Structure formats: C-alpha cells, structure tokens
Amino acid sequence: MTTILGISAYYHDSAAALVQDGRIVAAAQEERFSRQKHDASFPARAIAYCLSAAELRADELDYVAFYDKPLLKFDRLLETMLATAPWGLANFCRTLPVWLREKLHLRPAINEHLGRPRRAPVVFLDHHESHAASAFFPSPFGEAAILTIDGVGEWSTTTLGIGRGNRLELTDHLTFPHSLGLLYSAFTTYCGFAVNDGEYKLMGLAPYGRPEFRELILRHLVDLKPDGSFRLNLDCFDYCRAARMTSRRFDRLFDGPPRKPAERIEQRHMDLAASIQAVTEEIVLRMARELHRRTGLPNLAMAGGVALNCVANGRILREGPFERIWIQPAAGDAGGALGAALFVWHQLCGGGRVDCDGRVGCPHPSGNKEGRQSSPCDTQQGSLLGPEFSAEQVAEFLDRQGISYRRISSREQLFREVAEQLATGKVVGWFRGRMEFGPRALGSRSILADARRPEMQSLLNQKIKLREGFRPFAPAVLTEHVQEWFDLPRGQESPYMLLTAPLHTAQRIELSPRERELLASDPDLARRAAVVRSTLPAVTHVDYSARVQTVARERFPDFHALLSAFHRHTGCPVLVNTSFNRKDEPIVCTPEDAWRCFQATGIDLLVLEDCLIEKRAPRDSHPAADAGQEAAHAMV
C-alpha cells in the first residue's frame, strides 16, 4: 500500500491530507486544532490527526507532497520587487525574513517536523496542479475539463486543462499580476472587509446593490477578451509594490477612500459589490465557454479560491455550456494539500482511480472511456474527513465537566426529538460524526434552525453568529425534494453548498409596494433582509437566491435522517444550515469547542453525538450575543 501525506502551509489555511492507494483517508485544516482562524503555520496538529486516523507513524509514509514550489514563488517575489523598484523594496523586505527562516528550507523543515530521515522523498507540486488534482481526481467524472482560479500560486492565477482517467494536463495559464482573485480581493478591501476572509461578505452584499460601476470597471480596470483572458490596469492596484491592494487612482475612480471596517456600509459599497460580482461572473462564464469550445467535454471540475464564489458557479451551471460541474469543497489553499497527495498517487505513481467504495484500479469511474456519463457519487466522501468522537468520549467529557445531559441511545428517537425542537423555533448546535474538510459545515458541525421562521435570519446573525446583519444563510434540503423548492437543473446535486440557485417561483411571496420600496432603498440592510419574500424567509436572499446544500442519504446518512424527521413533522424538507462557530472563530472540532460556543451564544439545544444538553438561561441573556448584536447594527 502506498501512503502519501499532502501538506499546504505558510500562506492561508494550512492543512494536511492523507491518501492511501488513491483513497482519501483523512484531511483537516490546522485552524480547527489551533483555534486560530485561517492558521497559516506548519500544520503539525493536522498532520498528527491524519497519521492517527490511518494508524501510522511518520516513518511509514511513502511520500510527502507539498502543494506548491516555494523556490519558484520566491522567484516571482524577486522579479516583482525588481520590476517595481524602488517602491516594491520595502514590501519585499517585510516578507524576506519569513522566507529566509522557513519557506526556503521546507524540505529539511518537513523532515524535521515529521522526524523522518533526510533522504525521505518530499515532492513539490505546482500550485495550480495541486488545485487541478483536488478538483478532478475526487470528482465523479472519468473525463472532464478543468478550471482553476485563485489569487496567485507561483506565477499562474488561472489555468485551463483536461483530465482523463488518472492523468491531467494544464494547457493554458493566466499569470501574475493579472488575477481575478486579486481583483475581487481589491474590491473586498476597498469595501472594508479583510482579504482572504471577507470575500464571502462582498458576495453576500452584492444583491443589495446595482451594478452601476460595471462598465467603469471594464473600461478602466480590466481589459477583458472574448475568451475570458484579461489584463489589469496595474496603475490602479498596489499589491505588487506595497502592503495594500488599491492605489489612490483606484480611490479617485470610485469617488472616495476605502471604507474602514467600523464605518457604515453605504449604497455606494453595495453597488461596488454588485458591480465586481457581475464582472467576475462575466469573466468566469467566458472562461468556461472557451474551455468547453476547446475540449468539447460535458463535465467541468473546478478549484481555487474563486471557485468558492457560489453565485458565479450557479451562473455557469444555468448559462454555461457544461452539463455537469463538480467543485472541490475545500477549493482554496487547504484543498491543495489533498490535491498534492492525489497528484503524486495518480500522476507520479501511475495509480488508478478509486470508486465510491474505495476500490482501486478503475481509471474511469464513469465506466466508459469517453467519460460522457459519471458515477452517481464522487470519492470525496461528503468531505467528512476530519476527527470524530464516540458517544462514550462525549459522555466522559460531559461527566468530567459536571454538565447535565440526557443520553438518547435510539437513533430514531434522537432525530425525532431534535426535529420537534427545531419546529418550535429552537436553534440547535449539531455535532455528530466526522468533521467537514473545507470552509462549509455540511451537517456534522452545524448550527441548525427552522427556515420557515421570518425572525430566524436576524436572530442567527445577531444572537448566534454575532456577525453582520445583512449576511444570508444557506438551506439544506433533502435531495429528493429539491426540485419543489429550488431551481436546480434536474440531476445536478449541490452537496457541498457551492452552487447558488433561485428559489422556485411557487415558494415566492408577492411583495407589497411598500416592501418593494424598502428592499430597493432602505439604508438599514438588516431591515431589508427581514422582508419576508418566500415560504423560506430565513434562507431566501434579497434577490430570491439561496446557496443550496442538497442532502442525499448516501453521502450524509445522519443529516438526511434528521431532515427526514423534520419533513415528516412539518411537511418542510428544508433547514437552515450554518457553520458551528462564532464570528472570527474556526468551525468547532472537539466536544469542548462545541460546549464553549454553546455557552457563549444563544444556541438553545446542543447535540453531541447521542447526548442532548438544553440551555436553561433565556436566549437573550448572553452578554456575548448582546455585544455581537450591537456590533452588527453598527456596521449596517
């Protein structure tokens, strides 16, 4: 058996993944263990977990695969500094110490961390090859076009390619400094949000605005070609030569300085968000159409940070030429660890693809050489690849802490009771099974609520998540009922919450003239968000869209059973599903993490495997929730 450890580190969301003969055994981000959001340090804890999950020692590994090539990345930094001298020198000097201390000495550092002999094989992959491998090899496609888009790897910022069986090839590259990811991040910072964390917020803000600046962006910032390639006007950006994204020329173009994080969000910021989202969607659509024109393939696999833009993904699905698309759930840098390990197994070792049951040797999971059809499931295992805790371990923790709980041994009784509690308006912290790999909670480390309740969107933002009041929530829906509630193409699933779809017209509610006026112009975004637009107000965004998770029994058996119990009790197969964490914290990993989050927020009921804990204090009595509500109101 060939065992490969993949590692991503030192930029954003360090992670580790372990693959044995092409089967994904474990994967996790370092932040879940360190409790530092987007932890970029060497993923020692994540590696220790992966080895433990496989019951291996580090000296039993056959390969270690790192997700990019540090020397080539350092070459880009040197060339950029020289090209922008003397302005780029100060920025380069700020980053040089960490390169001299860590990044240029990765091979010995990896072996030292793992306690391995120096001769042990460490393979360094191209950054976008790692992304491409993470997209194609776990996908259900025997053959597919591949599109990767992010900020920047070594030099590439976008790649187009093709995967067949156990081989992939990247055929076209867009290179730094021309980057869609960096363009989107520039607008993220200009609107007052943090790079590599606030892009979700900008995407959520976009439906509140109008794309008033779209043509201005295309005229002055982006020279866009019909095939989706483009060049940026670098006079408007400072990321090549300074520690900021945009220049004064950018400020003048959009009539003012960047918004400070504590300042109120104005209509101008909403319109900027709508405009850059529209431009991003146009670029990605053109790239997808060009890729389809070149390959003629019906399937598309995607990865890279921009592939987390679920609105753009939804546009590709609805308006693009591909019949089916599959997006790596950990599409950002964390997924690079998984892609690096899979690339070594398939491309370097020549190993075959695995099927849904983990059997090795089938180069075409679709069962035919053309890859025109796909297997019914991918090999990502629902992205449930992280740690899990037995009911006995949970009970031991609760007993040790003196926490009062009820233990329900019957699976059916547990799901029925939780469903009934949800139907009464209770908010549930749901901790069950293996932790998710990637930024989305998919029903193992989730906060759940009734999507039919008009007050739930505001309550979750202000009392539970402690975040901005305008941000939408995602619906989890039983796969067999998705067509009744959302306009997803028949046969296309969205298991990883990476596609936005319109709400079915039958579920929409006609608005009064006053409500339409409020939606169009009220300066308080929380009041706009509170307008009831559908039978599922807690998950319907202001443009009638929703970031859908389809829940199939095969992928998510426990979560499917809970949703089914809720459906039987209420007639509704949909729940709000948001990540089990507070603002600026990683998703919970351990029972201890879940208990702390439960105590600090307005969650009513905590489910830890088969243990139920009910909160005695009223929801509004939590000081942390009150502080979060005040902060959220200050921003909107």
Side-chain angles (χ1 to χ4, degrees):
M1 179 175 288
T2 301
T3 304
I4 305 156
L5 176 70
I7 298 172
S8 63
Y10 299 130
Y11 179 62
H12 181 70
D13 270 353
S14 294
L18 195 134
V19 170
Q20 289 185 316
D21 284 358
R23 184 177 67 88
I24 305 169
V25 175
Q29 293 120 287
E30 184 70 4
E31 66 164 18
R32 306 295 170 83
F33 306 94
S34 69
R35 308 310 299 160
Q36 298 177 29
K37 195 168 185 181
H38 303 309
D39 191 342
S41 62
F42 188 84
R45 300 173 185 87
I47 290 171
Y49 155 68
C50 289
L51 292 172
S52 173
E55 299 182 343
L56 289 174
R57 302 185 311 273
D59 60 7
E60 296 178 284
L61 294 170
D62 295 293
Y63 294 92
V64 176
F66 194 76
Y67 83 127
D68 68 8
K69 296 182 176 180
L71 290 178
L72 193 54
K73 186 173 285 188
F74 190 64
D75 174 68
R76 168 173 60 80
L77 294 175
L78 282 173
E79 287 200 30
T80 302
M81 184 271 293
L82 291 172
T84 58
W87 300 280
L89 181 60
N91 194 40
F92 177 77
C93 290
R94 276 193 295 270
T95 62
L96 186 59
V98 70
W99 279 93
L100 296 178
R101 186 173 62 251
E102 294 175 341
K103 296 183 181 182
L104 292 177
H105 309 284
L106 266 175
R107 190 184 303 272
I110 288 171
N111 283 323
E112 182 181 349
H113 274 287
L114 295 176
R116 289 157 51 90
R118 188 173 297 276
R119 65 178 179 274
V122 180
V123 181
F124 293 90
L125 278 298
D126 177 87
H127 184 94
H128 277 263
E129 282 183 336
S130 296
H131 276 322
S134 78
F136 175 62
F137 290 131
S139 79
F141 308 136
E143 190 173 29
I146 301 171
L147 178 61
T148 70
I149 315 172
D150 67 1
V152 61
E154 293 84 6
W155 280 100
S156 297
T157 63
T158 297
T159 66
L160 279 62
I162 190 167
R164 291 188 176 94
N166 65 344
R167 312 292 293 179
L168 63 81
E169 179 185 7
L170 299 182
T171 56
D172 297 271
H173 298 251
L174 186 66
T175 58
F176 183 86
H178 307 289
S179 163
L180 182 56
L182 292 177
L183 173 67
Y184 203 88
S185 292
F187 279 86
T188 299
T189 60
Y190 187 76
C191 289
F193 306 120
V195 173
N196 292 327
D197 185 50
E199 285 79 4
Y200 296 131
K201 300 178 186 180
L202 195 72
M203 184 174 64
L205 185 63
Y208 292 94
R210 300 173 296 274
E212 303 284 352
F213 301 101
R214 179 184 181 277
E215 297 309 315
L216 191 67
I217 293 170
L218 292 173
R219 189 163 62 248
H220 292 281
L221 295 186
V222 183
D223 179 15
L224 179 60
K225 307 301 182 186
D227 63 359
S229 62
F230 62 89
R231 294 183 66 82
L232 299 180
N233 176 4
L234 298 177
D235 291 338
C236 293
F237 302 93
D238 267 353
Y239 55 76
C240 288
R241 55 187 180 182
R244 59 181 181 270
M245 295 297 295
T246 58
S247 69
R248 290 188 178 90
R249 183 172 294 190
F250 189 103
D251 298 351
R252 290 195 297 271
L253 189 63
F254 296 108
D255 301 323
R259 170 183 165 266
K260 295 178 181 178
E263 291 178 343
R264 179 175 289 274
I265 296 172
E266 300 174 350
Q267 189 61 47
R268 181 171 68 99
H269 303 116
M270 304 175 212
D271 293 343
L272 283 165
S275 300
I276 191 56
Q277 180 64 34
V279 169
T280 298
E281 292 170 23
E282 179 64 25
I283 292 173
V284 173
L285 269 172
R286 290 191 189 190
M287 288 179 176
R289 287 167 179 153
E290 176 65 16
L291 184 54
H292 184 266
R293 186 190 67 80
R294 296 186 186 191
T295 64
L297 294 174
N299 301 317
L300 173 66
M302 296 178 64
V306 176
L308 293 171
N309 192 307
C310 54
V311 181
N313 298 341
R315 287 280 306 278
I316 294 175
L317 183 63
R318 292 191 302 274
E319 303 172 34
F322 292 99
E323 295 174 15
R324 293 187 66 196
I325 66 175
W326 192 88
I327 305 140
Q328 167 56 233
D333 278 3
L338 176 59
L342 290 169
F343 188 95
V344 169
W345 165 251
H346 294 295
Q347 204 95 342
L348 301 186
C349 299
R353 301 279 290 278
V354 300
D355 62 18
C356 298
D357 297 319
R359 293 187 295 258
V360 185
C362 175
H364 296 284
S366 60
N368 65 76
K369 294 182 179 180
E370 292 76 19
R372 292 283 167 176
Q373 297 177 3
S374 59
S375 66
C377 65
D378 55 51
T379 57
Q380 187 80 15
Q381 302 168 44
S383 216
L384 305 179
L385 302 169
E388 62 182 334
F389 298 84
S390 68
E392 287 69 27
Q393 287 174 307
V394 169
E396 182 183 345
F397 160 71
L398 295 174
D399 291 336
R400 192 168 61 248
Q401 298 296 318
I403 299 167
S404 177
Y405 65 94
R406 288 189 296 121
R407 193 164 180 181
I408 302 178
S409 56
S410 165
R411 186 170 176 266
E412 291 72 21
Q413 182 184 342
L414 172 68
F415 297 150
R416 182 174 63 252
E417 182 166 335
V418 173
E420 290 170 358
Q421 296 268 32
L422 285 163
T424 66
K426 296 290 181 67
V427 176
V428 175
W430 181 258
F431 182 107
R432 192 172 169 90
R434 295 187 73 175
M435 181 180 70
E436 300 89 342
F437 179 52
R440 305 298 190 202
L442 302 169
S444 281
R445 303 290 187 274
S446 291
I447 295 173
L448 306 174
D450 188 346
R452 303 169 302 162
R453 293 182 170 267
E455 76 280 4
M456 197 56 73
Q457 189 268 354
S458 174
L459 187 149
L460 287 171
N461 271 326
Q462 297 174 12
K463 299 286 186 181
I464 313 292
K465 301 289 284 186
L466 314 181
R467 68 184 196 181
E468 300 87 352
F470 68 83
R471 293 177 62 181
F473 288 97
V477 56
L478 292 170
T479 299
E480 55 268 35
H481 293 282
V482 65
Q483 302 295 328
E484 305 161 24
W485 298 83
F486 303 98
D487 286 334
L488 267 179
R490 191 168 297 278
Q492 173 68 53
E493 295 184 19
S494 179
Y496 303 120
M497 213 181 280
L498 287 170
L499 292 171
T500 293
L503 194 77
H504 196 290
T505 53
Q507 305 301 334
R508 301 184 185 189
I509 294 174
E510 186 175 352
L511 300 180
S512 68
R514 182 181 176 281
E515 288 172 326
R516 285 195 292 269
E517 182 182 352
L518 189 151
L519 274 177
S521 59
D522 194 308
D524 190 322
L525 295 186
R527 280 202 295 266
R528 289 199 210 181
V531 173
V532 176
R533 300 169 296 280
S534 76
T535 59
L536 300 173
V539 295
T540 306
H541 209 4
V542 293
D543 60 350
Y544 292 100
S545 68
R547 177 165 43 89
V548 178
Q549 180 195 5
T550 55
V551 180
R553 181 181 290 106
E554 297 77 15
R555 279 195 183 90
F556 309 106
D558 279 3
F559 195 31
H560 185 277
L562 175 63
L563 271 167
S564 297
F566 186 79
H567 183 217
R568 285 192 297 271
H569 185 69
T570 66
C572 176
V574 183
L575 284 173
V576 179
N577 178 16
T578 188
S579 56
F580 198 160
N581 65 315
R582 292 187 296 167
K583 178 186 176 185
D584 299 327
E585 287 184 352
I587 294 174
V588 301
C589 176
T590 67
E592 292 91 334
D593 300 334
W595 169 250
R596 283 194 295 268
C597 187
F598 174 62
Q599 287 289 89
T601 65
I603 297 173
D604 300 298
L605 178 70
L606 175 61
V607 179
L608 297 175
E609 294 302 328
D610 62 4
C611 298
L612 269 66
I613 304 139
E614 295 188 62
K615 186 167 287 174
R616 298 181 185 278
R619 181 183 285 153
D620 291 342
S621 68
H622 297 278
D626 294 337
Q629 182 178 10
E630 291 173 8
H633 276 305
M635 298 189 68
V636 298

